[in-house]
């Protein structure tokens, strides 16, 4: 069964995403200040975006994968962010950029940013491919944003529904019957 048939419409295609990822990398390079750079990938959603992004950054950066989750399989944030920052130990004083697929309520990024600073990382910036247009209670705002999108549930390019659809090479909206058949 092919995943494409579950998609109602494509929001951002491969070419559009590729071009914007290159622009984001250029924005990061423009802020290079000689300090060691670490990309912290928020798993699993940030995986696809980050692998394309870091291949556009020809500098001596390090990569760490961070286990983070807040949605626990559903379509709405549980309000509880679980994370493990052990991979960031030993990176004190460095320039850290957290990379994630989407900034929705912002709770995940706010929680992570605060925890990273408490750990002693020098500076913490954040980069998200998508930012939903909505009212938020959090104070944090990502320094790098690929696209601002409407407040609707999207999948693909790392984003999942019930752990599926991360492998789509584009960002799309699921057909409503996919939810109704699985919930
Ligand atoms: C998703 C997404 C972000 C976060 C954004 O992660 O990847 O990390 O939620 O939501 P927020 O801004 O409302 O906090 P999820 O918990 O679904 O885990 P996943 O990355 O493994 O899909």
């Amino acid at each position: 069964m092919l995943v494409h048939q579950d998609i109602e419409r494509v929001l951002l295609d491969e070419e559009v995403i590729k071009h914007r990822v290159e622009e984001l990398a250029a924005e990061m390079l423009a802020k290079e200040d000689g300090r060691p750079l670490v990309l912290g990938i928020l798993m699993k959603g940030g995986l696809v975006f980050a692998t394309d992004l870091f291949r556009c950054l020809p500098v001596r950066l390090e990569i760490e994968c961070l286990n983070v989750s807040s949605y626990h399989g559903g379509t709405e944030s549980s309000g509880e962010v679980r994370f493990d920052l052990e991979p960031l130990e030993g990176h004190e004083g460095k320039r850290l950029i957290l990379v994630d697929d989407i900034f929705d309520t912002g709770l995940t990024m706010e929680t992570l940013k605060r925890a990273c600073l408490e750990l002693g990382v020098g500076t913490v910036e954040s980069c998200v491919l998508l930012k939903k247009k909505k009212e938020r209670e959090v104070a944090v705002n990502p320094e790098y944003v690929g696209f601002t999108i409407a407040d609707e549930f999207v999948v693909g390019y790392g984003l999942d529904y019930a752990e599926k659809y991360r492998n789509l090479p584009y960002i799309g909206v699921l057909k409503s019957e996919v939810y109704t058949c699985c919930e």
Side-chain angles (χ1 to χ4, degrees):
M1 180 123 141
L2 297 174
V3 279
H4 301 293
Q5 66 199 48
D6 291 341
I7 299 300
E8 178 75 47
R9 68 193 150 88
V10 174
L11 201 63
L12 300 164
D13 69 26
E14 287 177 75
E15 277 309 305
V16 167
I17 295 172
K18 183 174 182 292
H19 180 67
R20 188 68 188 120
V21 169
E22 288 166 358
E23 287 181 343
L24 289 172
E27 283 178 39
M28 287 177 184
L29 290 174
K31 289 200 201 168
E32 258 277 286
D33 58 6
R35 280 182 303 147
L37 175 62
V38 181
L39 292 193
I41 307 172
L42 276 65
M43 302 294 274
K44 303 171 194 167
L47 176 65
V48 179
F49 173 40
T51 53
D52 281 346
L53 181 69
F54 65 63
R55 284 180 291 171
C56 296
L57 291 168
V59 292
R60 289 190 181 129
L61 57 80
E62 292 175 82
I63 292 156
E64 298 294 358
C65 295
L66 309 173
N67 284 326
V68 184
S69 80
S70 62
Y71 278 63
H72 316 314
T75 58
E76 286 186 11
S77 174
S78 67
E80 180 211 0
V81 183
R82 298 179 198 153
F83 60 91
D84 175 12
L85 292 190
E86 204 183 322
L88 290 180
E89 287 171 12
H91 288 303
E92 289 80 6
K94 296 182 183 176
R95 177 188 178 196
L96 170 68
I97 303 179
L98 296 171
V99 181
D100 207 357
D101 52 355
I102 192 162
F103 190 79
D104 190 346
T105 65
L107 186 67
T108 301
M109 200 53 90
E110 182 178 66
T111 307
L112 259 280
K113 196 167 182 176
R114 192 183 312 123
C116 290
L117 286 169
E118 281 170 9
L119 202 65
V121 172
T123 55
V124 184
E125 296 158 81
S126 54
C127 174
V128 295
L129 181 72
L130 307 175
K131 180 180 174 182
K132 283 193 178 176
K133 205 171 185 176
K134 66 196 290 181
E135 294 286 316
R136 292 187 179 80
E137 292 177 12
V138 300
V140 70
N141 209 14
E143 284 77 5
Y144 310 94
V145 175
F147 304 92
T148 301
I149 63 166
D151 189 8
E152 60 184 342
F153 192 77
V154 292
V155 295
Y157 199 72
L159 291 125
D160 74 307
Y161 170 60
E163 293 299 328
K164 309 288 190 312
Y165 306 103
R166 295 191 199 273
N167 54 325
L168 288 172
Y170 51 80
I171 303 281
V173 178
L174 274 180
K175 289 178 180 167
S176 58
E177 60 255 39
V178 177
Y179 302 110
T180 42
C181 84
C182 302
E183 281 181 347

